[in-house]
Amino acid sequence: MAKEGNVEYCPIIKDMWEARAIEVDCGGLNSYHCLTDNEGRKWERCVEKSLIKEGNCPIFSSKGFIDWKPCNISTSTCPNTTYVSNEVYKYPGCFGNNSIHERSVDGISNGVIIGVVLGTMFILAVGLIVVFMYRRRKHSNLHTEEELAEKQNLIPGE
Protein backbone atom coordinates (compact mmCIF):
# COMPACT_ATOMS: atom_id res chain seq x y z
CA MET A 1 0.00 0.00 0.00
CA ALA A 2 1.40 3.41 -0.97
CA LYS A 3 2.09 5.86 1.80
CA GLU A 4 -0.24 8.87 1.89
CA GLY A 5 1.03 12.43 1.61
CA ASN A 6 0.97 14.67 4.65
CA VAL A 7 -2.18 16.57 3.55
CA GLU A 8 -5.48 15.54 1.97
CA TYR A 9 -5.81 18.54 -0.30
CA CYS A 10 -3.95 21.67 -1.35
CA PRO A 11 -5.43 25.19 -1.16
CA ILE A 12 -6.62 26.50 -4.54
CA ILE A 13 -7.65 29.98 -3.41
CA LYS A 14 -5.03 32.68 -2.82
CA ASP A 15 -6.34 33.62 0.65
CA MET A 16 -6.33 30.00 1.79
CA TRP A 17 -2.84 29.46 0.34
CA GLU A 18 -1.48 32.54 2.11
CA ALA A 19 -3.15 31.60 5.41
CA ARG A 20 -1.62 28.15 5.22
CA ALA A 21 1.78 29.65 4.37
CA ILE A 22 1.58 31.79 7.52
CA GLU A 23 0.70 28.71 9.61
CA VAL A 24 3.55 26.66 8.18
CA ASP A 25 5.99 29.61 8.56
CA CYS A 26 8.79 28.62 6.19
CA GLY A 27 11.06 31.63 6.70
CA GLY A 28 14.33 32.40 4.92
CA LEU A 29 14.63 31.73 1.20
CA ASN A 30 12.11 28.92 1.37
CA SER A 31 8.45 29.39 0.48
CA TYR A 32 5.38 27.36 1.32
CA HIS A 33 4.47 24.82 -1.34
CA CYS A 34 1.65 22.31 -1.48
CA LEU A 35 2.27 19.98 -4.40
CA THR A 36 1.57 16.46 -5.54
CA ASP A 37 4.23 13.86 -6.14
CA ASN A 38 4.46 11.41 -9.06
CA GLU A 39 1.81 9.22 -7.43
CA GLY A 40 -0.72 12.02 -6.80
CA ARG A 41 -0.11 12.26 -3.05
CA LYS A 42 -0.14 15.80 -1.66
CA TRP A 43 2.66 17.27 0.44
CA GLU A 44 3.30 20.56 2.19
CA ARG A 45 6.94 21.55 2.26
CA CYS A 46 9.11 24.63 2.51
CA VAL A 47 11.37 24.85 -0.53
CA GLU A 48 12.81 27.52 -2.80
CA LYS A 49 10.52 28.87 -5.51
CA SER A 50 11.12 27.69 -9.03
CA LEU A 51 10.01 29.02 -12.40
CA ILE A 52 7.56 26.64 -14.09
CA LYS A 53 7.10 26.71 -17.85
CA GLU A 54 3.67 27.13 -19.46
CA GLY A 55 1.67 23.90 -19.67
CA ASN A 56 3.54 22.24 -16.79
CA CYS A 57 2.81 21.62 -13.14
CA PRO A 58 5.30 21.60 -10.28
CA ILE A 59 5.53 18.34 -8.34
CA PHE A 60 7.74 17.07 -5.56
CA SER A 61 10.40 14.61 -6.63
CA SER A 62 11.02 11.49 -4.55
CA LYS A 63 13.80 13.44 -2.80
CA GLY A 64 11.50 16.37 -1.95
CA PHE A 65 12.76 18.85 -4.53
CA ILE A 66 10.59 20.63 -7.08
CA ASP A 67 10.31 18.89 -10.41
CA TRP A 68 7.64 19.35 -13.08
CA LYS A 69 5.31 17.32 -15.25
CA PRO A 70 3.08 18.24 -18.18
CA CYS A 71 -0.43 19.27 -17.16
CA ASN A 72 -3.36 17.33 -18.56
CA ILE A 73 -3.96 19.34 -21.76
CA SER A 74 -7.70 18.63 -21.68
CA THR A 75 -8.04 20.49 -18.39
CA SER A 76 -8.95 24.15 -18.79
CA THR A 77 -7.35 24.86 -15.39
CA CYS A 78 -3.82 24.10 -16.61
CA PRO A 79 -1.21 26.89 -16.66
CA ASN A 80 -1.21 28.84 -19.92
CA THR A 81 1.76 31.01 -18.97
CA THR A 82 5.10 30.67 -17.18
CA TYR A 83 4.69 31.14 -13.42
CA VAL A 84 6.41 30.75 -10.05
CA SER A 85 5.94 27.38 -8.31
CA ASN A 86 4.36 28.81 -5.15
CA GLU A 87 1.54 30.28 -7.25
CA VAL A 88 0.33 26.87 -8.42
CA TYR A 89 -2.92 27.41 -6.48
CA LYS A 90 -4.05 29.41 -9.56
CA TYR A 91 -4.07 26.18 -11.57
CA PRO A 92 -6.27 23.55 -9.88
CA GLY A 93 -5.62 21.16 -12.77
CA CYS A 94 -2.16 20.61 -11.32
CA PHE A 95 -3.55 18.97 -8.19
CA GLY A 96 -5.50 16.15 -9.81
CA ASN A 97 -8.19 14.89 -7.42
CA ASN A 98 -7.99 17.63 -4.82
CA SER A 99 -11.11 16.89 -2.80
CA ILE A 100 -11.26 16.19 0.90
CA HIS A 101 -11.75 12.47 1.19
CA GLU A 102 -13.87 10.78 3.82
CA ARG A 103 -11.64 9.64 6.62
CA SER A 104 -12.20 6.17 7.95
CA VAL A 105 -11.59 4.53 11.29
CA ASP A 106 -10.31 0.96 10.97
CA GLY A 107 -11.90 0.67 7.51
CA ILE A 108 -15.29 2.07 8.57
CA SER A 109 -16.24 5.20 6.66
CA ASN A 110 -17.60 8.35 8.28
CA GLY A 111 -20.97 7.71 6.64
CA VAL A 112 -21.35 4.39 8.42
CA ILE A 113 -20.28 5.89 11.76
CA ILE A 114 -22.71 8.80 11.37
CA GLY A 115 -25.50 6.40 10.38
CA VAL A 116 -24.95 4.22 13.44
CA VAL A 117 -24.82 7.24 15.78
CA LEU A 118 -27.96 8.83 14.30
CA GLY A 119 -29.78 5.49 14.33
CA THR A 120 -28.90 4.93 17.98
CA MET A 121 -30.01 8.45 18.88
CA PHE A 122 -33.33 7.90 17.06
CA ILE A 123 -33.98 4.61 18.89
CA LEU A 124 -33.18 6.25 22.24
CA ALA A 125 -35.49 9.18 21.47
CA VAL A 126 -38.36 6.83 20.53
CA GLY A 127 -37.71 4.80 23.69
CA LEU A 128 -37.84 7.91 25.87
CA ILE A 129 -41.08 9.04 24.23
CA VAL A 130 -42.67 5.62 24.82
CA VAL A 131 -41.58 5.62 28.50
CA PHE A 132 -42.86 9.17 28.97
CA MET A 133 -46.23 8.35 27.40
CA TYR A 134 -46.56 5.14 29.47
CA ARG A 135 -45.87 6.98 32.72
CA ARG A 136 -48.22 9.78 31.78
CA ARG A 137 -51.01 7.33 30.98
CA LYS A 138 -50.35 5.37 34.18
CA HIS A 139 -50.36 8.61 36.19
CA SER A 140 -53.55 9.68 34.42
CA ASN A 141 -55.22 6.32 35.22
CA LEU A 142 -54.28 6.68 38.90
CA HIS A 143 -55.95 10.10 38.99
CA THR A 144 -59.04 8.65 37.36
CA GLU A 145 -59.23 5.76 39.86
CA GLU A 146 -58.71 8.15 42.79
CA GLU A 147 -61.38 10.51 41.47
CA LEU A 148 -63.78 7.57 40.96
CA ALA A 149 -63.19 6.34 44.50
CA GLU A 150 -63.67 9.86 45.82
CA LYS A 151 -66.92 10.26 43.92
CA GLN A 152 -68.19 6.92 45.19
CA ASN A 153 -67.52 8.06 48.75
CA LEU A 154 -69.56 11.18 48.07
CA ILE A 155 -72.57 9.29 46.76
CA PRO A 156 -74.91 8.63 49.70
CA GLY A 157 -76.34 5.19 50.26
CA GLU A 158 -73.85 3.03 48.58
Side-chain angles (χ1 to χ4, degrees):
M1 185 170 147
K3 183 181 174 197
E4 292 182 23
N6 69 340
V7 293
E8 287 187 67
Y9 68 97
C10 290
I12 57 170
I13 299 170
K14 183 178 182 177
D15 292 342
M16 290 174 61
W17 185 278
E18 290 173 350
R20 192 67 192 129
I22 290 169
E23 277 183 56
V24 173
D25 189 27
C26 292
L29 295 177
N30 292 330
S31 295
Y32 169 78
H33 285 76
C34 186
L35 306 174
T36 60
D37 61 15
N38 279 323
E39 296 176 32
R41 300 172 297 200
K42 290 159 185 69
W43 300 90
E44 286 183 318
R45 293 195 177 126
C46 295
V47 293
E48 284 188 54
K49 297 184 254 185
S50 183
L51 201 58
I52 307 296
K53 193 173 178 184
E54 170 186 349
N56 292 292
C57 294
I59 60 170
F60 283 124
S61 69
S62 59
K63 294 185 180 184
F65 299 108
I66 292 181
D67 199 356
W68 57 268
K69 69 174 184 177
C71 188
N72 183 350
I73 302 300
S74 64
T75 305
S76 63
T77 57
C78 284
N80 56 3
T81 184
T82 299
Y83 63 101
V84 182
S85 59
N86 68 337
E87 293 180 355
V88 67
Y89 61 84
K90 296 176 180 177
Y91 309 104
C94 288
F95 296 112
N97 181 4
N98 196 37
S99 60
I100 302 173
H101 303 291
E102 279 191 353
R103 293 235 180 218
S104 62
V105 177
D106 294 331
I108 301 172
S109 74
N110 280 346
V112 171
I113 293 169
I114 290 170
V116 168
V117 169
L118 289 177
T120 303
M121 289 174 59
F122 177 76
I123 290 170
L124 287 173
V126 168
L128 286 172
I129 291 170
V130 167
V131 168
F132 176 75
M133 291 175 68
Y134 173 77
R135 285 187 176 182
R136 188 171 184 189
R137 176 173 272 166
K138 185 177 178 183
H139 183 64
S140 176
N141 285 342
L142 285 176
H143 275 293
T144 306
E145 288 175 11
E146 287 174 0
E147 288 172 2
L148 185 60
E150 216 174 277
K151 286 180 184 177
Q152 283 179 347
N153 287 339
L154 294 175
I155 299 175
E158 281 190 38

Short mmCIF file of all heavy atoms in Angstrom, two decimals, residues 11-14 16-18 21 26 29-35 45-52 57-60 66 83-91 95:
data_model
loop_
_atom_site.label_atom_id
_atom_site.label_comp_id
_atom_site.label_asym_id
_atom_site.label_seq_id
_atom_site.Cartn_x
_atom_site.Cartn_y
_atom_site.Cartn_z
N PRO A 11 -4.60 24.00 -0.96
CA PRO A 11 -5.43 25.19 -1.16
C PRO A 11 -5.40 25.64 -2.62
O PRO A 11 -4.34 25.64 -3.24
CB PRO A 11 -4.80 26.24 -0.26
CG PRO A 11 -3.80 25.56 0.58
CD PRO A 11 -3.49 24.25 -0.05
N ILE A 12 -6.57 26.02 -3.15
CA ILE A 12 -6.62 26.50 -4.54
C ILE A 12 -7.15 27.92 -4.62
O ILE A 12 -7.49 28.40 -5.69
CB ILE A 12 -7.46 25.56 -5.42
CG1 ILE A 12 -8.87 25.40 -4.88
CG2 ILE A 12 -6.78 24.21 -5.60
CD1 ILE A 12 -9.83 24.70 -5.81
N ILE A 13 -7.24 28.57 -3.47
CA ILE A 13 -7.65 29.98 -3.41
C ILE A 13 -6.52 30.74 -2.74
O ILE A 13 -5.96 30.29 -1.75
CB ILE A 13 -8.96 30.13 -2.61
CG1 ILE A 13 -10.08 29.35 -3.30
CG2 ILE A 13 -9.34 31.60 -2.44
CD1 ILE A 13 -11.34 29.23 -2.49
N LYS A 14 -6.18 31.89 -3.30
CA LYS A 14 -5.03 32.68 -2.82
C LYS A 14 -5.08 32.91 -1.31
O LYS A 14 -4.07 32.71 -0.63
CB LYS A 14 -4.96 34.01 -3.57
CG LYS A 14 -3.76 34.84 -3.18
CD LYS A 14 -3.68 36.13 -3.98
CE LYS A 14 -2.43 36.91 -3.58
NZ LYS A 14 -2.26 38.11 -4.36
N MET A 16 -6.57 31.24 1.06
CA MET A 16 -6.33 30.00 1.79
C MET A 16 -4.86 29.60 1.72
O MET A 16 -4.27 29.13 2.69
CB MET A 16 -7.22 28.88 1.24
CG MET A 16 -8.69 29.07 1.55
SD MET A 16 -9.75 27.85 0.75
CE MET A 16 -9.15 26.32 1.45
N TRP A 17 -4.25 29.78 0.53
CA TRP A 17 -2.84 29.46 0.34
C TRP A 17 -1.99 30.33 1.26
O TRP A 17 -1.10 29.84 1.96
CB TRP A 17 -2.46 29.67 -1.12
CG TRP A 17 -1.05 29.26 -1.46
CD1 TRP A 17 0.08 29.99 -1.27
CD2 TRP A 17 -0.64 28.02 -2.03
NE1 TRP A 17 1.17 29.29 -1.70
CE2 TRP A 17 0.77 28.07 -2.17
CE3 TRP A 17 -1.31 26.88 -2.45
CZ2 TRP A 17 1.51 27.02 -2.71
CZ3 TRP A 17 -0.57 25.83 -2.99
CH2 TRP A 17 0.82 25.92 -3.11
N GLU A 18 -2.26 31.62 1.28
CA GLU A 18 -1.48 32.54 2.11
C GLU A 18 -1.67 32.27 3.60
O GLU A 18 -0.72 32.34 4.38
CB GLU A 18 -1.83 33.99 1.76
CG GLU A 18 -1.31 34.39 0.39
CD GLU A 18 -1.77 35.76 -0.08
OE1 GLU A 18 -2.66 36.37 0.57
OE2 GLU A 18 -1.22 36.24 -1.09
N ALA A 21 0.36 29.29 4.39
CA ALA A 21 1.78 29.65 4.37
C ALA A 21 2.18 30.32 5.69
O ALA A 21 3.28 30.07 6.22
CB ALA A 21 2.08 30.57 3.19
N CYS A 26 7.55 29.14 6.78
CA CYS A 26 8.79 28.62 6.19
C CYS A 26 10.02 29.46 6.54
O CYS A 26 11.04 28.92 6.93
CB CYS A 26 8.64 28.52 4.67
SG CYS A 26 7.45 27.27 4.17
N LEU A 29 14.82 31.77 2.66
CA LEU A 29 14.63 31.73 1.20
C LEU A 29 13.54 30.76 0.78
O LEU A 29 13.12 30.75 -0.37
CB LEU A 29 15.94 31.35 0.51
CG LEU A 29 17.10 32.33 0.67
CD1 LEU A 29 18.35 31.77 0.01
CD2 LEU A 29 16.74 33.68 0.05
N ASN A 30 13.12 29.91 1.70
CA ASN A 30 12.11 28.92 1.37
C ASN A 30 10.70 29.51 1.40
O ASN A 30 10.42 30.42 2.16
CB ASN A 30 12.18 27.74 2.34
CG ASN A 30 13.45 26.95 2.15
OD1 ASN A 30 14.00 26.89 1.05
ND2 ASN A 30 13.95 26.36 3.22
N SER A 31 9.85 28.97 0.55
CA SER A 31 8.45 29.39 0.48
C SER A 31 7.56 28.17 0.65
O SER A 31 7.93 27.05 0.31
CB SER A 31 8.15 30.01 -0.89
OG SER A 31 8.88 31.19 -1.06
N TYR A 32 6.37 28.43 1.16
CA TYR A 32 5.38 27.36 1.32
C TYR A 32 4.98 26.82 -0.04
O TYR A 32 4.71 27.56 -0.97
CB TYR A 32 4.14 27.91 2.03
CG TYR A 32 2.96 26.98 2.01
CD1 TYR A 32 2.89 25.89 2.86
CD2 TYR A 32 1.90 27.19 1.12
CE1 TYR A 32 1.81 25.03 2.84
CE2 TYR A 32 0.81 26.33 1.09
CZ TYR A 32 0.78 25.26 1.95
OH TYR A 32 -0.30 24.41 1.91
N HIS A 33 4.95 25.51 -0.14
CA HIS A 33 4.47 24.82 -1.34
C HIS A 33 3.57 23.67 -0.92
O HIS A 33 3.87 22.97 0.05
CB HIS A 33 5.63 24.24 -2.16
CG HIS A 33 6.42 25.24 -2.91
ND1 HIS A 33 7.33 26.09 -2.32
CD2 HIS A 33 6.42 25.53 -4.24
CE1 HIS A 33 7.87 26.86 -3.25
NE2 HIS A 33 7.33 26.55 -4.42
N CYS A 34 2.50 23.49 -1.63
CA CYS A 34 1.65 22.31 -1.48
C CYS A 34 1.55 21.73 -2.87
O CYS A 34 0.96 22.33 -3.77
CB CYS A 34 0.28 22.68 -0.92
SG CYS A 34 -0.75 21.23 -0.56
N LEU A 35 2.18 20.58 -3.06
CA LEU A 35 2.27 19.98 -4.40
C LEU A 35 2.01 18.48 -4.32
O LEU A 35 2.14 17.88 -3.25
CB LEU A 35 3.67 20.19 -4.99
CG LEU A 35 4.21 21.61 -5.06
CD1 LEU A 35 5.66 21.60 -5.54
CD2 LEU A 35 3.35 22.46 -5.98
N ARG A 45 5.52 21.44 1.94
CA ARG A 45 6.94 21.55 2.26
C ARG A 45 7.38 22.99 2.06
O ARG A 45 6.78 23.75 1.32
CB ARG A 45 7.78 20.64 1.36
CG ARG A 45 7.54 19.17 1.62
CD ARG A 45 8.62 18.32 1.00
NE ARG A 45 8.38 16.93 1.34
CZ ARG A 45 8.29 15.96 0.47
NH1 ARG A 45 8.43 16.21 -0.82
NH2 ARG A 45 8.09 14.72 0.86
N CYS A 46 8.47 23.33 2.69
CA CYS A 46 9.11 24.63 2.51
C CYS A 46 10.33 24.43 1.63
O CYS A 46 11.28 23.75 2.02
CB CYS A 46 9.53 25.20 3.87
SG CYS A 46 8.14 25.55 4.94
N VAL A 47 10.26 24.97 0.42
CA VAL A 47 11.37 24.85 -0.53
C VAL A 47 11.50 26.17 -1.29
O VAL A 47 10.60 27.00 -1.27
CB VAL A 47 11.16 23.68 -1.52
CG1 VAL A 47 11.21 22.34 -0.81
CG2 VAL A 47 9.85 23.82 -2.28
N GLU A 48 12.62 26.31 -1.98
CA GLU A 48 12.81 27.52 -2.80
C GLU A 48 11.85 27.52 -3.98
O GLU A 48 11.55 26.47 -4.55
CB GLU A 48 14.26 27.58 -3.31
CG GLU A 48 15.25 28.01 -2.26
CD GLU A 48 16.62 28.24 -2.86
OE1 GLU A 48 16.71 29.03 -3.83
OE2 GLU A 48 17.58 27.64 -2.36
N LYS A 49 11.40 28.73 -4.35
CA LYS A 49 10.52 28.87 -5.51
C LYS A 49 11.29 28.49 -6.77
O LYS A 49 12.51 28.60 -6.82
CB LYS A 49 10.06 30.32 -5.66
CG LYS A 49 9.23 30.82 -4.53
CD LYS A 49 8.74 32.23 -4.80
CE LYS A 49 9.50 33.20 -3.94
NZ LYS A 49 9.02 34.57 -4.06
N SER A 50 10.52 28.07 -7.75
CA SER A 50 11.12 27.69 -9.03
C SER A 50 10.21 28.19 -10.14
O SER A 50 8.99 28.26 -9.98
CB SER A 50 11.23 26.16 -9.08
OG SER A 50 11.85 25.74 -10.25
N LEU A 51 10.79 28.56 -11.26
CA LEU A 51 10.01 29.02 -12.40
C LEU A 51 9.49 27.80 -13.16
O LEU A 51 10.25 26.89 -13.49
CB LEU A 51 10.89 29.89 -13.31
CG LEU A 51 10.17 30.85 -14.24
CD1 LEU A 51 9.28 31.81 -13.46
CD2 LEU A 51 11.18 31.63 -15.06
N ILE A 52 8.20 27.77 -13.41
CA ILE A 52 7.56 26.64 -14.09
C ILE A 52 7.06 27.10 -15.45
O ILE A 52 6.34 28.09 -15.56
CB ILE A 52 6.39 26.07 -13.25
CG1 ILE A 52 6.83 25.75 -11.82
CG2 ILE A 52 5.76 24.86 -13.92
CD1 ILE A 52 7.88 24.67 -11.70
N CYS A 57 3.18 21.50 -14.55
CA CYS A 57 2.81 21.62 -13.14
C CYS A 57 4.00 21.25 -12.27
O CYS A 57 4.70 20.27 -12.57
CB CYS A 57 1.67 20.67 -12.81
SG CYS A 57 0.13 21.08 -13.64
N PRO A 58 4.23 21.98 -11.19
CA PRO A 58 5.30 21.60 -10.28
C PRO A 58 4.86 20.38 -9.46
O PRO A 58 3.70 20.25 -9.10
CB PRO A 58 5.47 22.83 -9.39
CG PRO A 58 4.14 23.49 -9.41
CD PRO A 58 3.55 23.19 -10.75
N ILE A 59 5.78 19.49 -9.20
CA ILE A 59 5.53 18.34 -8.34
C ILE A 59 6.75 18.17 -7.45
O ILE A 59 7.82 18.72 -7.73
CB ILE A 59 5.28 17.04 -9.14
CG1 ILE A 59 6.50 16.69 -10.00
CG2 ILE A 59 4.02 17.15 -9.97
CD1 ILE A 59 6.43 15.31 -10.64
N PHE A 60 6.59 17.41 -6.38
CA PHE A 60 7.74 17.07 -5.56
C PHE A 60 8.36 15.79 -6.08
O PHE A 60 7.67 14.81 -6.36
CB PHE A 60 7.34 16.88 -4.09
CG PHE A 60 7.10 18.16 -3.35
CD1 PHE A 60 5.90 18.40 -2.71
CD2 PHE A 60 8.10 19.12 -3.28
CE1 PHE A 60 5.69 19.59 -2.02
CE2 PHE A 60 7.90 20.31 -2.59
CZ PHE A 60 6.69 20.55 -1.96
N ILE A 66 11.61 20.33 -6.08
CA ILE A 66 10.59 20.63 -7.08
C ILE A 66 11.03 20.13 -8.45
O ILE A 66 12.14 20.38 -8.90
CB ILE A 66 10.31 22.15 -7.15
CG1 ILE A 66 9.64 22.61 -5.86
CG2 ILE A 66 9.42 22.48 -8.34
CD1 ILE A 66 9.30 24.07 -5.82
N TYR A 83 5.05 30.63 -14.74
CA TYR A 83 4.69 31.14 -13.42
C TYR A 83 5.66 30.61 -12.36
O TYR A 83 6.47 29.73 -12.63
CB TYR A 83 3.25 30.75 -13.07
CG TYR A 83 3.03 29.25 -12.97
CD1 TYR A 83 2.97 28.63 -11.73
CD2 TYR A 83 2.93 28.45 -14.10
CE1 TYR A 83 2.78 27.26 -11.63
CE2 TYR A 83 2.75 27.10 -14.02
CZ TYR A 83 2.68 26.49 -12.78
OH TYR A 83 2.51 25.15 -12.68
N VAL A 84 5.55 31.16 -11.16
CA VAL A 84 6.41 30.75 -10.05
C VAL A 84 5.72 29.61 -9.30
O VAL A 84 4.50 29.62 -9.10
CB VAL A 84 6.67 31.95 -9.10
CG1 VAL A 84 7.59 31.56 -7.98
CG2 VAL A 84 7.25 33.11 -9.88
N SER A 85 6.48 28.62 -8.89
CA SER A 85 5.94 27.38 -8.31
C SER A 85 5.02 27.58 -7.11
O SER A 85 4.08 26.81 -6.91
CB SER A 85 7.07 26.45 -7.92
OG SER A 85 7.93 27.08 -6.98
N ASN A 86 5.23 28.62 -6.31
CA ASN A 86 4.36 28.81 -5.15
C ASN A 86 3.08 29.56 -5.50
O ASN A 86 2.33 29.96 -4.62
CB ASN A 86 5.10 29.50 -4.00
CG ASN A 86 5.46 30.93 -4.30
OD1 ASN A 86 5.55 31.33 -5.46
ND2 ASN A 86 5.68 31.72 -3.27
N GLU A 87 2.81 29.71 -6.79
CA GLU A 87 1.54 30.28 -7.25
C GLU A 87 0.72 29.22 -8.00
O GLU A 87 -0.18 29.54 -8.76
CB GLU A 87 1.80 31.48 -8.15
CG GLU A 87 2.40 32.66 -7.40
CD GLU A 87 2.65 33.87 -8.29
OE1 GLU A 87 2.46 33.79 -9.52
OE2 GLU A 87 3.06 34.90 -7.72
N VAL A 88 1.03 27.97 -7.74
CA VAL A 88 0.33 26.87 -8.42
C VAL A 88 -1.14 26.79 -8.02
O VAL A 88 -1.96 26.22 -8.75
CB VAL A 88 1.05 25.52 -8.14
CG1 VAL A 88 0.94 25.12 -6.68
CG2 VAL A 88 0.53 24.43 -9.06
N TYR A 89 -1.52 27.41 -6.91
CA TYR A 89 -2.92 27.41 -6.48
C TYR A 89 -3.83 28.00 -7.57
O TYR A 89 -5.03 27.74 -7.59
CB TYR A 89 -3.10 28.18 -5.17
CG TYR A 89 -2.69 29.64 -5.25
CD1 TYR A 89 -3.55 30.60 -5.74
CD2 TYR A 89 -1.41 30.03 -4.86
CE1 TYR A 89 -3.16 31.93 -5.83
CE2 TYR A 89 -1.01 31.36 -4.94
CZ TYR A 89 -1.89 32.30 -5.43
OH TYR A 89 -1.50 33.61 -5.53
N LYS A 90 -3.27 28.81 -8.47
CA LYS A 90 -4.05 29.41 -9.56
C LYS A 90 -4.47 28.37 -10.60
O LYS A 90 -5.32 28.65 -11.44
CB LYS A 90 -3.22 30.49 -10.27
CG LYS A 90 -2.85 31.67 -9.39
CD LYS A 90 -1.96 32.63 -10.17
CE LYS A 90 -1.54 33.83 -9.35
NZ LYS A 90 -0.62 34.72 -10.10
N TYR A 91 -3.85 27.20 -10.55
CA TYR A 91 -4.07 26.18 -11.57
C TYR A 91 -4.51 24.86 -10.92
O TYR A 91 -3.71 23.93 -10.77
CB TYR A 91 -2.79 25.99 -12.40
CG TYR A 91 -2.27 27.31 -12.91
CD1 TYR A 91 -1.15 27.92 -12.33
CD2 TYR A 91 -2.92 27.97 -13.96
CE1 TYR A 91 -0.70 29.14 -12.80
CE2 TYR A 91 -2.46 29.20 -14.41
CZ TYR A 91 -1.35 29.78 -13.82
OH TYR A 91 -0.91 31.00 -14.28
N PHE A 95 -3.42 19.76 -9.41
CA PHE A 95 -3.55 18.97 -8.19
C PHE A 95 -4.26 17.64 -8.39
O PHE A 95 -4.36 16.84 -7.46
CB PHE A 95 -4.30 19.77 -7.12
CG PHE A 95 -3.54 21.00 -6.68
CD1 PHE A 95 -4.02 22.25 -6.98
CD2 PHE A 95 -2.35 20.89 -6.00
CE1 PHE A 95 -3.34 23.39 -6.59
CE2 PHE A 95 -1.65 22.02 -5.60
CZ PHE A 95 -2.14 23.27 -5.90
#
